[in-house]
Amino acid sequence: MIRQYNIPFEEEVMPLFIGGVSVVGLAALVIGILLLYRHRRALWLFLCHMASLAAAMVFLIRCLFGGRIGIVVPDFHASEFQSLNLGLFGVFWAVSVGFGLLLILVLKKQNP
């Protein structure tokens, strides 16, 4: 049997979560670019950090709201779908943290 896989949430949770992640991410991106535009290496690390964090959020959203955004998963693959999305979220989140730590290191070396 193939059906949409849904985790039960209140109706307003999905748009609030996706909207909140988008607004906060966009604000962080703009502020980070404005603060780091003179530090090229740090700016690239920041952009890589934000890109990997955005990818992590995509996989978390797919895991939480897959059925509500039109992703159809066969019943016998539902747990694999969730596991894969949570695993990819973790990988991209860890990469994002790594870029963030490298960014701090670069900025510390520039201004000891």
Side-chain angles (χ1 to χ4, degrees):
M1 175 181 211
I2 296 177
R3 64 182 169 90
Q4 290 183 332
Y5 182 73
N6 285 319
I7 295 176
F9 287 106
E10 295 294 325
E11 194 64 33
E12 63 276 353
V13 170
M14 184 181 74
L16 287 173
F17 184 82
I18 294 172
V21 165
S22 300
V23 168
V24 170
L26 187 59
L29 183 64
V30 170
I31 291 168
I33 289 171
L34 290 174
L35 291 173
L36 296 171
Y37 73 94
R38 292 184 188 203
H39 307 280
R40 292 290 179 207
R41 185 162 182 223
L43 178 61
W44 281 109
L45 287 170
F46 175 73
L47 292 175
C48 290
H49 162 71
M50 292 302 293
S52 55
L53 186 59
M57 289 298 116
V58 166
F59 287 109
L60 183 61
I61 288 167
R62 283 173 50 98
C63 182
L64 294 175
F65 308 115
R68 294 177 190 222
I69 57 176
I71 297 174
V72 178
V73 179
D75 282 342
F76 56 89
H77 288 300
S79 69
E80 289 91 347
F81 174 79
Q82 293 294 65
S83 299
L84 176 65
N85 281 294
L86 276 177
L88 289 172
F89 161 75
V91 167
F92 280 101
W93 178 70
V95 169
S96 172
V97 169
F99 280 124
L101 292 173
L102 282 174
L103 171 63
I104 292 168
L105 241 160
V106 165
L107 289 174
K108 187 175 186 256
K109 283 184 180 181
Q110 288 178 356
N111 302 318

